[in-house]
Amino acid sequence: MGLYPLAALAFGGALLHVLNHALFKGLLFMGAGAVLHGAGTAEMEALGGLSKRMPRAAFLFVLGAAAACALPPFNGFAGEFLIYLGAFSALNGPANIVLAALLALAVLSAAGALALAVFSKAAGAVFLGEPRTQAAAGAHNCGPLMNAGMTLLAAACVVSGFAAPFLILPVSTALGAAFGLRTTLDFSGAAATPLIYLTAAFLALAAIVWVLAEKRRFFLGGRQPAAGPTWDCGYAAPSARMQYGASSFSQPLTAFFQPLLRKTLNIPVIAGYFPGKASFSSEARSVVFDHLYAPVIVRLRGLAFRFSWLQHGRLQFYILYIVAALMALLLWKL
Amino acid sequence: MEIIKPLIQYLAVIILSPLLLGLINRVKAKFAGRRGQPLLQLYFDLYKLSYKTPVYSRTTTWLFRAGPVIGLSAILCALAALPFAGRPGFLAFDGDFIFLIYLLGLGRFFTVLAALDTGSSFEGMGASREVQFAVFSEPAFFLALAALSKATGKLSLSGMFLALEPASWQAAAPALLLLTAALFIILLAENSRVPVDDPNTHLELTMIHEVMVLDHSGPDLAYILYGAALKLWFFGALIASAVLPRHSGSWLYDGAAFLGMMAVIAAAIGTVESVMARLRMIKVQYLLMGALVFSILALLFQTGR
């Protein structure tokens, strides 16, 4: 079974990713909470420019977004790297394994690029540019405790990004508990060298960033950069509403995935030389939600309600259920 | 001597990269019957821009200043892992190309955020297109490398190109031809060349990469232009390594042949730009899907053998 180590590599990578996912996803949710707290709304189209009003949260959110896109040198990368490596190693297996690996590679890489689109949209629409509404313009910074929570998770994202080789131990312990010693050894053997190289590469990247930032300071030579308006192509009165919004940013992609998203557009008809006020709106429905989740959930709920007479709030009967279940299990095992 | 060879190779790359764009422009000028700008124009531009005082929009924040620095760092780091004339770079490990593709992603992420930081509708438009096209070009790139990995049985970029021999071309010509074609399309798309984007355009509405950097100036713009030249070298070097598999053993000979091949690729890009119009924006995704199909076919050909 030459494929055993590959499966161990990919599964270990997935476990590592789960570990790291907890860190950056927690950070991103806290960031969303900070925005909701500071601006009073979490509607992306109503925000913008929060980076000026809550700079700390903006910095930490961007860091979390980069980690979520699995960008080096943050912690999202190592897990995805091992899954990719497992898929690439599987390319040298028999034909049916190659097809599975091909599918995995295509889906993973497309999902990676889509994640980049999604998180640059979220960070851009919420924190960058000019505020689109009064609520966003009047947003206030979040308190030190709120910032501290996010800072802690962000620091964990950076540290576990650089310290990926040290995370082999907990992951392989978990693998050992589930699948035995051989999987553990296969995983740590295959993952150790690449992860150590990755850490070296991350350090090189950090060093290059530092050198280039210093070099830029040298080029500036202490001169004060001039301030001006954003280039507006000669238009005299740009307004915040002319910025690319969240849905306009993702429009090319949502148009491409129209068969899956079923976006409905409400386009006003413009008639006459002096048309009155008009409004445009679009709503994306998910085919998977509407036609897979929703029907299944409805059926499940219907089924569950049929047994609702079991739940009546009388404690003695509940204890009877437990006893009956235990007795049944005991008899079954006899 | 062996120890400093990667260093010399790396220096050659970071010094010679801007020359590629000079060559492309010279080829385009010849096609148009012009004399063209000096071969070293980009070097002059970089020098001039480095010592200019930048102008920053009042809308921008630290991200706008960090974007060019991180973008250039990412590609400089990627070049350290890139093989040169079939010889490994500093950083060569199993799966290094996964790291390289995600480094390009890091550069893209911060370029896009720096563009959105200006609050300009044009730059938002360019950013939106950039992330859209990456959704198609990134799988194509991954699968092209998967086909190469399958053809050579190696898991590092240096290993793959070292294992690629003239005999591999005899044995797997269709697959290698398809993946070279896929890589060339990805090169054109990732470096915003015709037919995907036009580096000479002056209309903001039609641009992709150039419109994202409209507001950058001074050293920041120099970093961006230099990063673009390095990125062109990065993709060009992948193609040059794929089509030039003979390793004579002589470092100087191999290096010279490799540099000659890079010049040929620059001429090819210049020729494509001179004889083709750019595609309509909504057709670009189909071109990139073509590259994806080429990659998948290359992989399937390799599997069927």
Side-chain angles (χ1 to χ4, degrees), chain B residues 127-248:
Chain B
S128 162
R129 289 168 184 163
E130 175 88 2
V131 298
Q132 179 208 358
F133 295 146
V135 171
F136 304 104
S137 70
E138 216 162 84
F141 195 15
F142 257 112
L143 291 176
L145 291 176
L148 195 59
S149 172
K150 174 87 185 151
T152 57
K154 294 286 189 292
L155 283 174
S156 77
L157 216 46
S158 305
M160 288 183 213
F161 288 124
L162 206 61
L164 206 62
E165 287 169 342
S168 330
W169 269 91
Q170 281 166 8
L176 289 174
L177 209 59
L178 279 169
L179 82 88
T180 307
L183 283 176
F184 192 68
I185 294 175
I186 298 164
L187 176 146
L188 295 176
E190 288 282 339
N191 293 289
S192 47
R193 313 299 310 185
V194 172
V196 174
D197 191 3
D198 188 351
N200 286 341
T201 183
H202 286 287
L203 185 62
E204 289 92 337
L205 284 172
T206 61
M207 299 193 279
I208 304 170
H209 184 262
E210 301 295 314
V211 74
M212 285 203 294
V213 301
L214 270 181
D215 262 84
H216 287 284
S217 54
D220 295 330
L221 187 58
Y223 275 20
I224 287 169
L225 292 179
Y226 186 46
L230 291 174
K231 198 172 171 188
L232 184 63
W233 183 285
F234 176 86
F235 283 96
L238 288 182
I239 296 172
S241 306
V243 297
L244 205 72
R246 186 178 295 281
H247 310 299
S248 62

Side-chain angles (χ1 to χ4, degrees), chain A residues 27 30 34 56-57 60 141-156:
Chain A
L27 170 61
M30 283 189 182
R56 187 86 176 259
L60 299 172
N141 210 344
C142 43
L145 274 176
M146 229 170 175
N147 274 331
M150 287 191 281
T151 309
L152 200 69
L153 281 181

Side-chain angles (χ1 to χ4, degrees), chain A residues 56-102:
Chain A
R56 187 86 176 259
F59 174 78
L60 299 172
F61 188 89
V62 167
L63 196 153
C69 298
L71 297 177
F74 304 107
N75 65 342
F77 184 66
E80 281 205 20
F81 173 81
L82 292 181
I83 300 172
Y84 272 118
L85 198 59
F88 271 102
S89 316
L91 288 174
N92 295 316
N96 54 343
I97 303 290
V98 172
L99 284 182
L102 182 130

